[in-house]
Amino acid sequence: MQADIDFSHYLKDTGSGLVHLDLAVEGISCAGCMAKIERNLASIPDVASARVNLTDSRLALEWKAGAFDPAMFVSRLADLGYKAYPFERDNAETLEAQRAQGLLRRLGVAAFAAMNVMMLSVPVWSGNVSDMLPEQRDFFHWLSALIVLPAAAYSAQPFFSSALSALRARGVNMDVPISIGIVLALATSVIETVNHTEHAYFDAAIMLIAFLLAGRFLDQNMRRRTRAFAGNLAALKAETATKFVSPTEIKTVPAAAIRPGDIVLLRPGERCAVDGNVIEGRSEIDQSLITGETLPAMAAPGSAVFAGTVIRSGTLRVRASAASGGTLLDEISRLLDHALQARSRYLRLAERASRLYAPVVHATALLTMIGWLAYGASFHDSIVTAIAVLIITCPCALGLAIPAVQTVASGALFGSGVLLNAGDAIERIAEIDRVIFDKTGTLTLPELDVANLAEIPHDVVKLAGRLALSSRHPVAAAVARRAGVASPLPDIQEEPGQGVHGFHEGRPIRLGRPSFCGAGDLANGILCRDPEASIVAFSHGESKYAFAVRQRLRPDAAEVVAGLARMGIAVEIVSGDREPAVRLTAEVLGVHEWRAEVSPVDKIARIDELARQGCKLLMVGDGLNDAPALAAAHASMSPVTATHMSQAVADAVFVGERLAPVLAAVKVSRKALRLMRQNLWLAVVYNVLAVPIAIAGLVTPLIAAAAMSGSSVIVMLNALRARAREAI
Amino acid sequence: MEVLVFLVPLALALGFVGLLGFLWSLKSGQYDDLDGAAWRAIADDQPVSDHGRSK
């Protein structure tokens, strides 16, 4: 299956006669795997390098151009016991990685400068109380300036540029007081050095920059890691499409290589990987991932199909399109844009803190200056004291307080199968008091399953499963999967759109539509009880059975709903599916509030209505029809099987068959928010203690440096408490 | 105290060399895989492939 994929899309020419390929490898878990893979692949002649990245579970290969077919590596890795898929870094991931590296470079520069300046500052601090000559002190101050000024100009750029853009937009963010603090500290120090006075704050300024950059880097690294993991997940799905390379010839290519206008062949049982319009063929299609509707729809020339649609009966030719003419997609994009604008108005905790913080601090500094002037101090002394207030209150702990908790909490969430898309997701998930679940694909599993297995004799299930292996219809495939059989029956014919038939032990055997097997009555009986099920009938001679195939609830859905209720969070189901199906799910889960046949517009309307009542909503959904609602809700989560668009707008994505990550996300986020608030309070307490000393004019550079690093370390240590395991 | 004339530039130069070393290690991708690097240090023998980096 893998071997016939065209890899050329992923190959990169390095320029020196070597070809480069990146593979995402499933199952690399330890150093042993790393050594095994590298040793095995590197022993192949003409392979220039094989290097595993253990953090991201990836393998980078380089070999002499034209020496082998890349598929050889995939099969070789399969022999070693690893599944490998080619992948391409998407733009978002490349950008996050570049930002993380840029911040690390600046952090390195700031940290090296801080270390070297400390070497000069310690003698000055100890010299001030002993016998250092003023000339020597000035000389050391000038050296500090030589190191710190260029280092600060380079490494503090992220703060300056962010502060500038905030000021241009006539707003204030946390970077404004930070930038003012840094600039004033440096300017005072230079002026003080020129005037041969005792106190210069070069060390405090550069240390502040280093600590703040550490906070930014932690934040950025968390995002980079999430992106890398999401990239792997996308690669592991190994989405391929069958493309017409000429009017008669087809080729299997990665979905990423399909361009608008390409014509793609879709066969029964396949999941469509592109958006487009049908140009030829008719088929039943399962659009549950798109609309939430579990009953199949009919596709004919002219109808739009979306990525994620499963083809059921016939074969379709589809022209891939970038801007689909499908009204659904257009409408969803429009709703989505609108909802995303609304979300960008959310103020993060750090921003809210800094809105309070900046005016208070600047007013305190101003009052200090006025107070000292009124008290009769010289203009110079008053200004120096006011600046000392600014330096000591510079929000070093504030800059670390939130990123540190976020990093630790996102690590904990990672462990429970939740990947965060947005940095402020933790804050928003922590605040929710109501959860809206989509039904199809969210409360239920995306794969079909046989519901009435207990009513059918075991040997019949086995036989039906072996017959079903000859069909590509997804409903039949569910029977085969559940029967757990591997040997298809011989001499079976497929009747398109009807089912499969043949002979077994001298009697005719059939599997397919109830009418095809003469089991219409049985099917009607089941449909009365379970209107949502798809029926696949089976007949062997005179004996007839009907399998009810449907989407099964996630195994722990009921527990999670109960768990949320215990935490005082209301649960509601809002689905695009028909009423009987939604009612049944709601009854099984014990959810009292549910709505069925809800359009994307109505989903948003419901969310707005609840938001007006003051509810903070967590929307959990997977379909394309959920995407606007995911963006509109206060916070949102998607399963990893969701459509691309939903995953992209959701705050967090969860992996696996279970729903427990939703509960874990709420619990961890609440704990993390508590720690963030604590950290902010710690920063406030520190200021309450330090500011009077600064106002009194008693702050020396030594006190400033010690206070700054002390508060940062305390905040960091407190953040580490988020790692403590929460019983989930 | 004349020794400062000699020692101070030396100290600054050493710091600068350290910084250059850091920048080089960053550029050559040594921080791309911290988990892997930790294990490579205690691996029994180096894989044969170690003569080229992926970046």
Side-chain angles (χ1 to χ4, degrees):
Chain A
M1 168 74 196
Q2 275 283 322
D4 55 13
I5 294 179
D6 181 10
F7 277 85
S8 55
H9 178 70
Y10 295 104
L11 296 181
K12 265 173 279 172
D13 197 351
T14 53
S16 48
L18 293 176
V19 187
H20 183 102
L21 175 69
D22 286 314
L23 293 171
V25 187
E26 207 172 1
I28 297 187
S29 52
C30 64
C33 307
M34 180 169 82
K36 191 161 100 183
I37 292 174
E38 287 187 350
R39 241 171 268 176
N40 189 294
L41 294 183
S43 64
I44 306 172
D46 284 339
V47 171
S49 94
R51 198 167 171 89
V52 170
N53 184 325
L54 193 60
T55 316
D56 297 340
S57 298
R58 287 174 178 177
L59 170 66
L61 285 165
E62 272 177 20
W63 68 91
K64 217 165 91 184
F68 346 80
D69 178 12
M72 185 274 289
F73 292 110
V74 174
S75 54
R76 189 124 178 187
L77 283 166
D79 292 343
L80 289 173
Y82 303 96
K83 277 192 194 165
Y85 303 91
F87 87 100
E88 192 179 35
R89 276 186 168 207
D90 61 359
N91 289 338
E93 194 195 327
T94 316
L95 200 69
E96 300 290 359
Q98 276 170 359
R99 278 195 200 140
Q101 197 165 34
L103 280 173
L104 187 56
R105 193 180 306 120
R106 290 176 204 277
L107 174 60
V109 169
F112 266 94
M115 285 188 270
N116 281 287
V117 167
M118 275 306 150
M119 191 179 72
L120 299 164
S121 293
V122 172
V124 174
W125 295 340
S126 45
N128 274 344
V129 289
S130 57
D131 55 351
M132 192 179 221
L133 298 174
E135 291 77 22
Q136 281 170 356
R137 191 186 61 214
D138 285 350
F139 176 58
F140 274 37
H141 279 168
W142 279 120
L143 280 177
S144 303
L146 180 73
I147 297 170
V148 168
L149 292 179
Y154 173 70
S155 54
Q157 272 168 20
F159 307 114
F160 294 155
S161 59
S162 153
L164 268 182
S165 56
L167 288 177
R168 269 202 210 108
R170 297 178 187 284
V172 177
N173 62 10
M174 204 169 58
D175 291 326
V176 174
I178 290 175
S179 302
I180 293 177
I182 292 171
V183 170
L184 283 180
L186 290 175
T188 326
S189 305
V190 171
I191 294 168
E192 293 290 276
T193 306
V194 171
N195 293 333
H196 311 289
T197 45
E198 245 176 63
H199 296 331
Y201 296 96
F202 293 115
D203 46 7
I206 195 72
M207 211 159 68
L208 170 73
I209 295 171
F211 274 124
L212 289 170
L213 281 170
R216 295 288 155 100
F217 174 69
L218 287 178
D219 193 37
Q220 188 61 40
N221 205 33
M222 175 191 96
R223 276 188 237 172
R224 189 202 66 82
R225 210 175 156 165
T226 313
R227 283 274 163 230
F229 195 82
N232 283 4
L233 285 176
L236 298 186
K237 278 191 196 164
E239 288 188 331
T240 57
T242 313
K243 173 183 158 180
F244 280 91
V245 283
S246 75
T248 51
E249 200 187 340
I250 55 171
K251 203 169 184 183
T252 307
V253 297
I258 298 285
R259 301 278 164 260
D262 285 351
I263 294 173
V264 171
L265 181 70
L266 295 172
R267 287 167 293 201
E270 283 183 349
R271 191 176 279 275
C272 178
V274 297
D275 294 330
N277 288 307
V278 178
I279 52 174
E280 199 184 304
R282 294 178 80 83
S283 171
E284 271 188 346
I285 53 172
D286 173 358
Q287 287 197 310
S288 60
L289 193 54
I290 319 298
T291 58
E293 167 75 72
T294 41
L295 275 194
M298 203 61 204
S303 33
V305 289
F306 304 98
T309 305
V310 178
I311 311 303
R312 283 200 164 189
S313 49
T315 303
L316 297 176
R317 283 189 191 205
V318 169
R319 187 188 299 278
S321 51
S324 166
T327 48
L328 178 71
L329 200 59
D330 286 346
E331 183 184 327
I332 284 177
S333 312
R334 191 173 48 76
L335 289 171
L336 200 58
D337 288 345
H338 192 70
L340 283 175
Q341 275 170 16
R343 183 196 273 181
S344 63
R345 285 183 223 127
Y346 175 79
L347 272 186
R348 299 174 62 155
L349 187 57
E351 287 162 23
R352 275 179 281 161
S354 67
R355 285 204 174 181
L356 282 175
Y357 187 84
V360 170
V361 165
H362 292 160
T364 311
L366 190 69
L367 286 178
T368 305
M369 192 181 88
I370 295 171
W372 276 105
L373 278 177
Y375 190 68
S378 72
F379 188 67
H380 170 262
D381 286 353
S382 311
I383 283 201
V384 169
T385 314
I387 286 170
V389 170
L390 278 182
I391 293 171
I392 205 115
T393 55
C394 207
C396 190
L398 207 58
L400 274 173
I402 289 164
V405 178
Q406 263 176 11
T407 305
V408 178
S410 76
L413 286 173
F414 204 77
S416 24
V418 181
L419 302 169
L420 295 177
N421 264 343
D424 55 353
I426 293 177
E427 295 169 28
R428 284 185 282 120
I429 292 176
E431 286 170 356
I432 59 130
D433 52 18
R434 195 178 188 94
V435 181
I436 292 187
F437 283 106
D438 169 48
K439 183 184 73 74
T440 318
T442 305
L443 287 172
T444 63
L445 287 167
E447 294 259 300
L448 293 171
D449 195 13
V450 181
N452 62 341
L453 213 55
E455 300 166 12
I456 297 166
H458 190 63
D459 51 329
V460 175
V461 175
K462 288 270 182 218
L463 191 60
R466 289 179 65 193
L467 182 57
L469 283 174
S470 304
S471 170
R472 299 188 67 167
H473 198 284
V475 177
V479 174
R481 196 165 48 236
R482 203 52 213 266
V485 288
S487 52
L489 291 177
D491 298 326
I492 300 297
Q493 274 92 47
E494 181 150 19
E495 205 73 49
Q498 295 296 321
V500 283
H501 62 97
F503 281 91
H504 181 70
E505 291 170 351
R507 283 179 295 163
I509 187 168
R510 288 179 163 217
L511 181 93
R513 283 178 184 276
S515 56
F516 178 66
C517 304
D521 297 344
L522 272 175
N524 286 339
I526 293 178
L527 284 174
C528 284
R529 274 178 305 165
D530 186 359
E532 199 191 355
S534 297
I535 307 296
V536 55
F538 171 72
S539 67
H540 187 202
E542 287 308 305
S543 53
K544 295 184 172 64
Y545 298 92
F547 292 90
V549 177
R550 54 172 298 159
Q551 289 185 319
R552 193 163 49 101
L553 282 175
R554 287 182 189 263
D556 58 346
E559 288 163 46
V560 170
V561 168
L564 288 169
R566 269 199 303 278
M567 291 170 74
I569 296 171
V571 177
E572 186 175 335
I573 299 175
V574 175
S575 172
D577 206 356
R578 288 156 311 119
E579 198 219 300
V582 182
R583 183 206 303 274
L584 194 71
T585 309
E587 276 168 10
V588 171
L589 295 178
V591 176
H592 303 299
E593 281 192 77
W594 53 267
R595 276 145 211 269
E597 293 172 55
V598 185
S599 72
V601 181
D602 293 339
K603 282 197 181 190
I604 289 201
R606 175 68 184 150
I607 284 172
D608 285 345
E609 184 191 335
L610 287 169
R612 270 198 303 278
Q613 291 168 14
C615 287
K616 297 268 166 84
L617 279 178
L618 171 67
M619 172 80 204
V620 188
D622 71 324
L624 194 58
N625 62 330
D626 296 316
L630 289 169
H634 189 66
S636 51
M637 290 180 79
S638 271
V640 75
T641 48
T643 53
H644 294 298
M645 203 182 254
S646 307
Q647 275 189 44
V649 295
D651 291 318
V653 174
F654 63 95
V655 293
E657 259 198 2
R658 292 158 58 82
L659 200 58
V662 175
L663 194 58
V666 177
K667 284 187 175 166
V668 173
S669 302
R670 288 196 166 178
K671 189 171 176 192
L673 185 67
R674 221 165 36 236
L675 286 172
M676 286 179 194
R677 294 219 169 105
Q678 266 177 22
N679 269 353
L680 289 179
W681 280 114
L682 280 176
V684 169
V685 168
Y686 149 79
N687 276 323
V688 168
L689 294 178
V691 167
I693 303 176
I695 293 178
L698 298 175
V699 167
T700 62
L702 175 61
I703 291 176
M708 204 168 280
S709 39
S711 67
S712 297
V713 169
I714 288 173
V715 166
M716 280 288 221
L717 289 178
N718 193 39
L720 284 177
R721 300 203 305 140
R723 194 187 280 260
R725 274 224 160 270
E726 181 93 34
I728 293 161
Chain B
M1 278 293 151
E2 286 72 27
V3 73
L4 280 183
V5 177
F6 171 69
L7 279 183
V8 164
L10 183 69
L12 290 182
L14 280 177
F16 195 65
V17 168
L19 177 61
L20 287 184
F22 169 75
L23 291 179
W24 166 78
S25 68
L26 179 66
K27 203 170 175 193
S28 63
Q30 297 192 25
Y31 298 92
D32 288 354
D33 178 20
L34 295 174
D35 295 354
W39 286 106
R40 272 175 219 280
I42 57 163
D44 287 340
D45 46 5
Q46 284 292 309
V48 197
S49 72
D50 223 13
H51 52 78
R53 241 170 236 300
S54 55
K55 293 250 161 120

